[in-house]
Amino acid sequence: MGADGTGDVRVGDLDETALLARVVPLMPTEALLGPGDDAALVAAPDGRVVATTDVLVEFRDFRRDWSSGADVGWKAVAQNVADVAAMGGRCTGLLIGLSVPTDLEVAWVEDFARGVAAACACFGAVVVGGDLSAASEVVVSVTALGDLQGRPPVLRSGARPGDVVAVAGVLGRSGAGLEVLQRNGSAAPREEELVTVHRRPQPPVAAGPAAALAGATALMDVSDGLLRDAGRIAAASAVTVELTTTGALGEWSRALGPERGLEHVLTGGEDHALLGCFPPEAVLPTPFAPVGRVGVAGPHPVLVDGRPWTGSTGWDHFAR
Amino acid sequence: MGADGTGDVRVGDLDETALLARVVPLMPTEALLGPGDDAALVAAPDGRVVATTDVLVEFRDFRRDWSSGADVGWKAVAQNVADVAAMGGRCTGLLIGLSVPTDLEVAWVEDFARGVAAACACFGAVVVGGDLSAASEVVVSVTALGDLQGRPPVLRSGARPGDVVAVAGVLGRSGAGLEVLQRNGSAAPREEELVTVHRRPQPPVAAGPAAALAGATALMDVSDGLLRDAGRIAAASAVTVELTTTGALGEWSRALGPERGLEHVLTGGEDHALLGCFPPEAVLPTPFAPVGRVGVAGPHPVLVDGRPWTGSTGWDHFAR
């Protein structure tokens, strides 16, 4: 292979400076002060900054034979900007910690950076800092910073009985796409689309600030499945989230098939849709679709068509 | 062992919620909005926020048989607050991503959190958010946020010929302490002190804002060794950093012994001292000690007593 790295150059063939010189220019890095000094400096116009962090670990959160470097970079950005949107904010900067095996191809790291860049372009984000180190498996840790434009953050704890429950985005497709990959066979065209959603989720980031402006009383990113995440709003707000499958939830279920569709919609993770609660008189901003109502606290945090759901309830990082 | 976890409970025995419930309360978590929602909210009083991230990887950056969980937690905080100080700022919040093997003792994670808490108390920091996941080795990713109190950031690029070069903190001890551990034998009492510095570095964080107030033209955290980091100031400022071993550098070298002392002082990493450049008329703030002068750019970025150093020049994450 050539010294220009077009061949199978490995991470361990380069020193850190040389690797950074190849990767950093691939990403958008605008800020008051971007990468290169001890720290970055990011604008925080209203005197506060939203901050959230998520870690993606190879074999647990992704597999390199199922997702390209660009897919992993995209997803790491997407799930963090979704968390900023879920406070009602817009992302102002990302810090990306990337740990990789020394025998990983440099091309994978470059591909990762291109996926980060593509997601940044899609979601209106920039990379302001990061760290690169060696590890025995790929670990991606992203911190996203955000701006609330002077508004209060929209928490999980503000839902009130009578509120409308609504979702921006489509649920169940990422989990269904993961199932296609796990089946390890060829995928029908419709299934390819689900796999793409799994690899490159598209959180509706503009819906976060829009929900805040529309008076949302509670808002969160659906990353661990609707039932589990709705349960978190129910717990934080001391209410019951009463979902109905007659509207959008049913429509999404039917699109995923009669056998597992509803289970995917209710328990599939990583779609990074936004789950919001709105006062009954609020006009739901695009693309929020109503999926239920908030009720008073009861024996079950979440009901589906009036009954507790008895199946599995989402992903746990440690459960055996 | 009992359900209270006093025995050898493993991470995989608990779900994520249960593990977080044991770990989060051990750490100081004050903020406008701390952990528990999709993101935290941190004050940024002057409308800007300093942000930096560092990743620590087991086997590369620490070993669990050489450092306790508390040591690792301490060090992860210390090196990030040092980066904020190196911009002239004070830390306003930390986000901590922790990935651990499922067979790791929960007690290790609790010990880690106590080390984070001890460092927070020492350096005046708080934890505002984080993420916990499973991995095959321990990976700690910390993002630190900071406040410049209205001042411009102190960059690496502002050093000017004629400036005084000064260091706050003591150099060489962490590297010497690491060497004691690598020797794998018993340590003399003086050596135990060096090992403690290696395990729990004490960046002089108050010296960062003090340097900014004193008019520092350049400032950085010495994490990769004095020569290497001084070379970064030299490159960014287009100057030569001319170190002299007659003062503090010589004193620190002698304390570490005649054979390897100077090498440790010049090339040892992870002391997290602050390296600053000050106009000749500036009064050096405590505890900065002069270690040289800034000269015009020349063939070597850094000189030691007028000559280029010919030994090793510090740590690289990927070099073979």
Side-chain angles (χ1 to χ4, degrees):
Chain A
M1 94 235 126
D4 63 343
T6 48
D8 60 341
V9 187
R10 307 284 163 160
V11 166
D13 296 328
L14 302 180
D15 67 16
E16 191 175 355
T17 306
L19 189 56
L20 286 172
R22 289 173 64 147
V23 173
V24 173
L26 300 174
M27 298 181 288
T29 54
E30 281 162 60
L32 298 181
L33 178 70
D37 216 290
D38 290 86
L41 190 61
V42 180
D46 73 2
R48 305 165 300 167
V49 62
V50 173
T52 178
T53 198
D54 262 317
V55 181
L56 282 173
V57 182
E58 186 179 359
F59 306 116
R60 271 79 177 182
D61 297 300
F62 63 90
R63 285 173 49 163
R64 276 192 278 136
D65 55 341
W66 287 358
S67 292
S68 68
D71 293 335
V72 175
W74 175 291
K75 197 169 196 166
V77 170
Q79 66 182 31
N80 279 278
V81 297
D83 279 329
V84 172
M87 305 303 282
R90 64 174 192 89
C91 182
T92 52
L94 299 165
L95 297 106
I96 301 186
L98 177 64
S99 304
V100 294
T102 53
D103 64 355
L104 184 66
E105 303 84 1
V106 169
W108 193 95
V109 182
E110 291 172 327
D111 195 38
F112 171 88
R114 289 191 192 97
V116 166
C120 281
C122 180
F123 303 123
V126 294
V127 176
V128 301
D131 191 20
L132 191 54
S133 60
S136 61
E137 63 201 347
V138 178
V139 179
V140 186
S141 51
V142 177
T143 296
L145 307 178
D147 172 40
L148 294 176
Q149 302 169 303
R151 295 180 298 268
V154 187
L155 308 183
R156 300 174 179 182
S157 53
R160 291 165 304 199
D163 283 352
V164 173
V165 179
V167 169
V170 177
L171 292 170
R173 296 192 298 169
S174 176
L178 176 61
E179 201 172 74
V180 172
L181 289 168
Q182 285 167 336
R183 233 175 37 215
N184 202 20
S186 59
R190 165 68 181 154
E191 291 178 326
E192 283 295 350
E193 186 191 327
L194 301 175
V195 170
T196 298
V197 170
H198 176 73
R199 290 177 175 142
R200 301 206 176 197
Q202 298 252 5
V205 291
L213 287 168
T217 56
L219 190 63
M220 75 178 293
D221 166 43
V222 184
S223 55
D224 293 338
L226 177 61
L227 290 180
R228 187 162 171 164
D229 287 330
R232 288 170 170 150
I233 284 184
S237 300
V239 297
T240 301
V241 174
E242 301 172 357
L243 302 172
T244 52
T245 62
T246 48
L249 297 184
E251 184 190 320
W252 300 333
S253 301
R254 283 188 295 278
L256 295 173
E259 279 182 39
R260 307 281 315 283
L262 187 59
E263 186 180 338
H264 284 309
V265 168
L266 294 177
T267 68
E270 298 195 317
D271 286 294
H272 299 292
L274 289 174
L275 172 65
C277 301
F278 295 85
E281 68 277 14
V283 177
L284 293 186
T286 306
F288 277 96
V291 299
R293 290 254 160 202
V294 176
V296 297
H300 303 287
V302 183
L303 299 174
V304 180
D305 294 331
R307 290 185 298 274
W309 179 258
T310 52
S312 70
T313 52
W315 169 254
D316 189 282
H317 289 289
F318 297 107
R320 279 171 175 165
Chain B
M1 97 230 128
D4 61 346
T6 48
D8 60 341
V9 188
R10 308 283 163 159
V11 166
D13 296 329
L14 302 179
D15 67 17
E16 191 175 355
T17 305
L19 189 56
L20 286 172
R22 288 172 66 148
V23 172
V24 173
L26 300 174
M27 299 182 286
T29 54
E30 281 163 60
L32 297 180
L33 178 69
D37 216 290
D38 290 86
L41 191 61
V42 180
D46 72 5
R48 302 166 303 165
V49 62
V50 173
T52 179
T53 196
D54 262 316
V55 181
L56 283 172
V57 182
E58 185 178 1
F59 306 117
R60 270 81 177 181
D61 297 301
F62 64 89
R63 286 173 47 163
R64 276 193 278 137
D65 53 341
W66 286 359
S67 292
S68 69
D71 293 335
V72 175
W74 176 289
K75 197 170 197 165
V77 171
Q79 66 183 33
N80 279 279
V81 297
D83 280 329
V84 173
M87 305 303 283
R90 64 173 193 87
C91 183
T92 51
L94 299 166
L95 297 107
I96 301 185
L98 178 65
S99 304
V100 295
T102 53
D103 64 354
L104 184 68
E105 303 86 359
V106 170
W108 192 96
V109 182
E110 292 172 327
D111 195 37
F112 171 89
R114 288 190 191 98
V116 166
C120 283
C122 180
F123 302 122
V126 295
V127 176
V128 301
D131 191 21
L132 190 55
S133 61
S136 61
E137 64 202 346
V138 179
V139 179
V140 186
S141 51
V142 177
T143 296
L145 306 179
D147 172 39
L148 294 177
Q149 301 169 305
R151 295 180 299 268
V154 188
L155 308 184
R156 299 174 179 183
S157 53
R160 292 165 303 198
D163 282 353
V164 174
V165 179
V167 169
V170 177
L171 292 170
R173 296 193 297 171
S174 176
L178 175 60
E179 202 172 73
V180 172
L181 289 168
Q182 285 167 336
R183 234 177 36 216
N184 201 18
S186 61
R190 166 66 181 155
E191 292 177 326
E192 283 293 352
E193 188 190 326
L194 300 175
V195 169
T196 298
V197 170
H198 176 73
R199 289 178 176 142
R200 299 207 177 198
Q202 297 252 4
V205 290
L213 288 167
T217 56
L219 190 63
M220 73 178 293
D221 167 43
V222 184
S223 55
D224 293 338
L226 177 60
L227 291 181
R228 186 164 173 162
D229 286 331
R232 287 170 171 151
I233 284 185
S237 299
V239 297
T240 302
V241 174
E242 301 172 358
L243 303 172
T244 54
T245 62
T246 49
L249 297 183
E251 184 191 316
W252 299 332
S253 299
R254 285 189 294 278
L256 295 174
E259 279 180 39
R260 305 282 315 283
L262 187 58
E263 187 181 338
H264 282 310
V265 167
L266 294 177
T267 68
E270 298 196 317
D271 286 294
H272 298 293
L274 289 175
L275 172 65
C277 300
F278 296 85
E281 68 276 13
V283 177
L284 293 185
T286 305
F288 277 96
V291 299
R293 289 253 161 204
V294 175
V296 296
H300 303 287
V302 184
L303 298 174
V304 181
D305 294 332
R307 289 185 300 274
W309 179 258
T310 53
S312 72
T313 52
W315 168 253
D316 189 282
H317 289 287
F318 297 107
R320 277 172 175 164

